[in-house]
């Protein structure tokens, strides 16, 4: 009888939380502090950067969770045009994350490969003070992200997860937590859950693509940028 | 003989004029390479915690859109290194 009850509870949990769609508000922060820029720099910022940042902040983050795999993407506001907003386009194009309990990967559509997050290996520090987010009791977890390709980009990641939804498929590069992540802040992107709903049909197929580490991918990109700078000088 | 020489000189003159005109047209076009580099530089100046893969994506977007809009030949710099 106990076995049947346990099995029924497990089945209930799986059916209840196996397939979810979570929507998040987006707050993208490009620079941390205002510095005294030149007139030219301020002009470039107003024309080139601010429209992209505004567009990103009017977007919605969507996390689909199916069978302990999750897929995250940023969906632009339909009324906003992405034309002439290369920063917004770059950030949205590189916002598709596939996450499992043990691994996180960013889909690189330009080079048709998956960039594996190799910088998030530190252990989580979980705190016991609860907070309600989107109606769920959440707990804070932090870890230090260590970027081997560029240590000056090292930073702390803060997430809030709810054990009330016991899925462990993570969110973007935050994985291996005992619950659904409803808040994410890596000091550049901040996502706050607005709604959690169960969905009937959900299928995440991990594409059969080449894999490359985040470190190697950034070294490759740095080399390309260096070549372009040198070519411009000649 | 004089006529042949004159026609020859005239032909060479016309050809050099045509080549010069082509160069001038190219020089007069938008420099998409410089435009892409400027876009990246501007983003770098204002950014905080942005990785090279994002600058790379911005460069590609600006360069390819600019090239397509100006019907220029695409000649990007592509570098691939192994993971090890």
């Amino acid at each position: 009888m106990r076995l049947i009850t346990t099995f029924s509870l497990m089945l209930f949990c799986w059916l209840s939380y196996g397939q979810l769609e979570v929507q998040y508000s987006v707050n993208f922060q490009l620079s941390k502090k205002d510095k005294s820029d030149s007139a030219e720099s301020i002009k470039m910022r107003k024309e080139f950067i601010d429209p992209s940042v505004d567009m990103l902040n009017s977007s919605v983050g969507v996390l689909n969770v199916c069978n302990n795999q999750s897929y995250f993407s940023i969906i632009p506001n339909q009324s906003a045009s992405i034309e002439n907003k290369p920063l917004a386009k770059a950030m949205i194009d590189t916002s598709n994350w596939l996450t499992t309990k043990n691994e996180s990967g960013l889909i690189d559509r330009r080079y048709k490969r998956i960039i594996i997050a190799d910088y998030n290996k530190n252990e989580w520090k979980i705190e016991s003070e609860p907070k309600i987010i989107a109606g769920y009791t959440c707990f804070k977890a932090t870890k230090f992200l260590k970027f081997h390709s560029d240590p000056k980009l090292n930073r702390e990641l803060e997430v809030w997860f709810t054990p009330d939804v016991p899925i462990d498929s993570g969110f973007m590069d935050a994985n291996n937590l005992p619950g659904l992540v409803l808040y994410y802040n890596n000091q550049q992107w901040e996502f706050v859950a607005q709604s959690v709903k169960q969905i009937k049909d959900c299928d995440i197929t991990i594409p059969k693509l080449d894999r490359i580490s985040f470190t190697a991918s950034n070294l490759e990109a740095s080399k390309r940028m260096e070549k372009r700078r040198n070519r411009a000088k000649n | 003989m004089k006529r042949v020489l004159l026609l020859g000189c005239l032909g060479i003159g016309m050809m050099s004029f045509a080549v010069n005109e082509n160069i001038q047209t190219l020089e007069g076009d938008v420099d998409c390479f410089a435009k892409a580099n400027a876009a990246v530089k501007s983003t770098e100046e204002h950014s905080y915690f942005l990785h090279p893969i994002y600058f790379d994506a911005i460069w590609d977007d600006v360069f390819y859109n600019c090239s397509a809009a100006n019907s220029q030949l695409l000649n990007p710099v592509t570098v691939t290194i192994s993971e090890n």
Side-chain angles (χ1 to χ4, degrees):
Chain A
M1 186 62 191
R2 275 185 188 168
L3 198 66
I4 292 168
T5 312
T6 311
F7 180 76
S8 303
L9 276 172
M10 280 175 67
L11 189 67
F12 174 76
C13 286
W14 184 79
L15 285 173
S16 299
Y17 301 120
Q19 305 192 121
L20 297 171
E21 185 188 282
V22 189
Q23 290 209 358
Y24 301 81
S25 63
V26 178
N27 180 21
F28 176 74
Q29 193 175 317
L30 188 64
S31 58
K32 198 175 184 182
K33 57 183 185 293
D34 284 319
K35 50 183 182 178
S36 52
D37 290 325
S38 64
E40 177 66 16
S41 179
I42 291 168
K43 184 173 173 275
M44 278 296 274
R45 185 187 181 112
K46 280 186 180 167
E47 285 177 11
F48 181 73
I49 291 172
D50 290 350
S52 283
V53 173
D54 290 346
M55 186 186 175
L56 289 169
N57 288 335
S58 69
S59 307
V60 175
V62 178
L63 180 78
N64 282 295
V65 181
C66 317
N67 306 325
N68 281 327
Q69 292 182 141
S70 70
Y71 176 72
F72 179 76
S73 54
I74 293 173
I75 314 291
N77 186 328
Q78 285 186 344
S79 63
S81 166
I82 203 157
E83 288 295 311
N84 299 319
K85 296 187 186 89
L87 171 64
K89 191 168 186 297
M91 300 315 289
I92 289 170
D93 284 351
T94 50
S95 73
N96 302 125
W97 283 87
L98 279 164
T99 313
T100 63
K101 182 181 177 182
N102 301 315
E103 203 170 55
S104 306
L106 175 60
I107 298 175
D108 182 356
R109 295 186 193 282
R110 289 183 308 145
Y111 294 97
K112 295 183 174 58
R113 60 193 181 180
I114 299 180
I115 300 173
I116 304 295
D118 59 345
Y119 52 81
N120 55 352
K121 303 295 179 199
N122 286 340
E123 290 295 312
W124 289 106
K125 286 178 195 162
I126 298 177
E127 296 179 18
S128 56
E129 189 74 25
K131 184 163 85 173
I132 304 292
I133 300 173
Y136 293 85
T137 304
C138 295
F139 295 93
K140 184 179 176 180
T142 54
K143 73 156 64 175
F144 191 67
L145 304 178
K146 208 170 173 182
F147 296 100
H148 308 289
S149 53
D150 197 347
K152 74 172 185 293
L153 298 174
N154 290 351
R155 71 191 89 160
E156 193 174 75
L157 169 64
E158 176 189 334
V159 302
W160 288 74
F161 68 95
T162 177
D164 296 347
V165 185
I167 62 120
D168 58 4
S169 55
F171 177 94
M172 289 176 70
D173 52 357
N175 54 4
N176 206 9
L177 280 164
L180 179 65
V181 173
L182 294 177
Y183 176 87
Y184 175 100
N185 186 350
N186 70 359
Q187 299 179 47
Q188 181 171 70
W189 290 106
E190 184 186 35
F191 301 103
V192 185
Q194 303 298 310
S195 66
V196 180
K197 64 179 180 186
Q198 291 172 40
I199 47 175
K200 280 183 182 172
D201 299 315
C202 183
D203 180 27
I204 297 173
T205 307
I206 296 177
K208 286 177 184 165
L209 297 171
D210 289 343
R211 293 154 64 95
I212 184 170
S213 72
F214 193 82
T215 305
S217 168
N218 273 297
L219 285 172
E220 201 184 273
S222 294
K223 291 250 179 191
R224 265 195 298 274
M225 292 309 302
E226 193 58 36
K227 283 242 173 189
R228 287 163 181 161
R229 279 191 201 101
N230 289 338
R231 191 167 128 178
K233 283 176 194 166
N234 295 331
Chain B
M1 184 64 190
K2 276 183 183 172
R3 272 187 193 169
V4 173
L5 202 62
L6 188 69
L7 280 171
C9 286
L10 203 64
I12 289 167
M14 291 288 279
M15 277 167 66
S16 67
F17 178 73
V19 169
N20 273 336
E21 201 166 53
N22 277 343
I23 291 168
Q24 279 166 5
T25 306
L26 281 175
E27 283 172 351
D29 278 342
V30 177
D31 186 347
C32 294
F33 205 90
K35 197 176 171 185
N37 276 342
V40 167
K41 194 180 169 205
S42 172
T43 316
E44 278 175 333
E45 278 174 7
H46 293 98
S47 70
Y48 190 81
F49 287 150
L50 213 55
H51 289 276
I53 55 169
Y54 302 109
F55 295 124
D56 191 39
I58 290 167
W59 195 95
D60 275 0
D61 185 61
V62 174
F63 181 77
Y64 284 103
N65 278 336
C66 172
S67 300
N70 293 284
S71 307
Q72 288 180 10
L73 289 174
L74 301 180
N75 184 24
V77 174
T78 306
V79 181
T80 309
I81 57 167
S82 65
E83 196 169 339
N84 297 321

